[in-house]
Amino acid sequence: MSSDSPDLPATEGGRSPLPYGRQSVSEEDIAAVVDVLRGDWLTTGPAVTRFEAALGACAQAPAVVVSSGTAALHTAYAAAGIGPGDEVVTSPMTFVATAAAATMLGATVVFADIEPDTGNLDVEAAAAAVTVSTAVIAAVDYAGHPVEADALAALAGDSGALFIEDAAHSIGGSWHGRQVGSLADLTTFSFYPTKNLTTAEGGAVTGSDPELLGRARRFRNHGLVRERDHLRHPDEGGWHQEVHELGLNYRLPDVLCALGISQLARLGEFKRRRTHIVAAYNAAFTDLDSVSTPPCRQGADPAWHLYPLRVHDGRRRALYDALRGQGILAQVNYVPVHWHPVYEDLGYRRGMCPRAEEFYAQQLSLPLFPAMDDNDVERVVSTVRAFFRRP
Ligand SMILES: Cc1ncc(COP(=O)(O)O)c(C=O)c1O
């Protein structure tokens, strides 16, 4: 289960708990899924092709759909060909999957520190972490705010590395007028329920290099090759298929692609509502000395997945507990990845990325999802403001 799973305790004081994120599933979404269930294809069929086409149009780059955001990262790193001896420079301010998928391929993860405002990988810190062994620079669009994509692409290019953008948070966002999905060599998406659109579990990889994307496409399906022109033994028979490079089963079924197509058509509506709520929070907290609100850099059009409030007076934990006590299920995103015992055991130490560690100490994700109405937003605002009125 992802760290993002919404946990909904029993209703308190007559008011429904407000999770920090939640899916919006309409009757049209349900009808689209039911339609596929009644048809001939449950797994890889026409809905996969249609979802990939729709995602490609949204991301301005061809897409391969996979079974989760984690699968998308594993697929992207495998397509990049990383393995033992390679280094992957990435941010610790992310869900563990960004690093874990690279570690599981045998590569060494090198954590570089973040920009203190956005929480995204800092270009200078990434540059300082590059060595001759760097094979990938993997940056995360934290909370939905795009990374400094041009500078990171240039750094990767100069370093002989690939630039992978973990856009689990940011589908529908853009950077200087270009869509997230078209900015990096490979971009990965997650369609987990709290994300900006959902297929229950699901994900995608986009990229404009046909060779890289072809490797991703094969990796998702056991590495199977079926095209006669590419077979090593073409005369084996009409049934013949071959594996040239190993892969896994990361296929996203037609049933879930139908949900994805229907959700993607609603992404604009979701993004507008999320943007509106973020603006309402920003305006409501601007006069509070103890907190800061998420920044938006010039050229960025974020697709806000999280609302990362920063608490500067040392009371983040107390605020978390106070909100939870009122049924407002705030979350902390994220424990720096190098703090996880699995990375501690590999020799990574606290203090390695001080800006990310300070960010973590201050961060609290307030509820943000399209189905929140204005009363829900006001409930969060008044509870936060009441907390800071207390000594
Ligand atoms: C930044 C980031 N990367 C990767 C993932 C993994 O996505 P999934 O949960 O779909 O496997 C997540 C989701 O939790 C995430 O937030």
Side-chain angles (χ1 to χ4, degrees), residues 17-307:
L18 266 181
Y20 83 95
R22 192 176 200 290
Q23 70 274 18
S24 286
V25 175
S26 67
E27 288 305 317
E28 287 76 22
D29 294 339
I30 293 167
V33 172
V34 169
D35 211 36
V36 170
L37 285 171
R38 293 210 171 94
D40 290 333
W41 300 94
L42 291 186
T43 58
T44 303
V48 172
T49 312
R50 283 195 292 128
F51 189 31
E52 287 185 343
L55 279 171
C58 169
Q60 293 176 344
V64 170
V65 293
V66 293
S67 52
S68 69
T70 307
L73 284 160
H74 193 187
T75 300
Y77 288 136
I82 64 162
D86 291 325
E87 291 177 0
V88 172
V89 173
T90 193
S91 161
M93 187 40 58
T94 182
F95 184 57
V96 65
T98 316
T103 304
M104 291 200 72
L105 283 165
T108 301
V109 172
V110 180
F111 293 107
D113 217 341
I114 60 168
E115 299 167 345
D117 56 339
T118 61
N120 286 341
L121 182 64
D122 180 74
V123 179
E124 274 181 32
V130 165
T131 72
V132 289
S133 301
T134 304
V136 165
I137 296 174
V140 181
D141 295 336
Y142 176 82
H145 188 297
V147 289
E148 291 281 338
D150 300 297
L152 290 166
L155 174 63
D158 292 347
S159 315
L162 289 179
F163 170 34
I164 294 181
E165 187 173 353
D166 180 344
H169 297 183
S170 59
I171 190 162
S174 67
W175 177 247
H176 292 276
R178 287 169 296 138
Q179 285 299 109
V180 166
S182 67
L183 305 167
D185 293 302
L186 290 168
T187 303
T188 63
F189 296 100
S190 163
F191 307 134
Y192 186 75
T194 54
K195 299 297 197 295
N196 289 352
L197 72 87
T198 191
T199 59
E201 298 284 359
V205 180
T206 61
S208 53
D209 177 337
E211 202 176 312
L212 275 177
L213 211 67
R215 289 186 77 185
R217 193 175 287 285
R218 284 191 297 281
F219 186 79
R220 150 186 89 176
N221 191 25
H222 304 285
L224 286 168
V225 176
R226 292 202 176 105
E227 302 79 12
R228 192 177 156 78
D229 291 354
H230 294 97
L231 294 175
R232 192 174 295 174
H233 306 288
D235 299 325
E236 192 62 32
W239 61 85
H240 188 56
Q241 49 187 345
E242 296 175 349
V243 174
H244 297 185
E245 285 181 315
L246 292 176
L248 293 166
N249 173 1
Y250 280 158
R251 298 185 302 261
L252 186 67
D254 252 40
V255 177
L256 298 184
C257 286
L259 178 57
I261 295 163
S262 187
Q263 286 264 304
L264 190 55
R266 302 171 62 209
L267 182 61
E269 167 203 326
F270 291 157
K271 182 170 176 239
R272 274 191 296 282
R273 182 66 190 154
R274 286 174 176 276
T275 305
H276 181 84
I277 297 168
V278 167
Y281 280 153
N282 286 349
F285 302 137
T286 186
D287 63 324
L288 293 180
D289 292 338
S290 298
V291 303
S292 58
T293 57
C296 182
R297 289 196 169 191
Q298 202 255 323
D301 175 23
W304 292 110
H305 155 57
L306 300 173
Y307 184 84

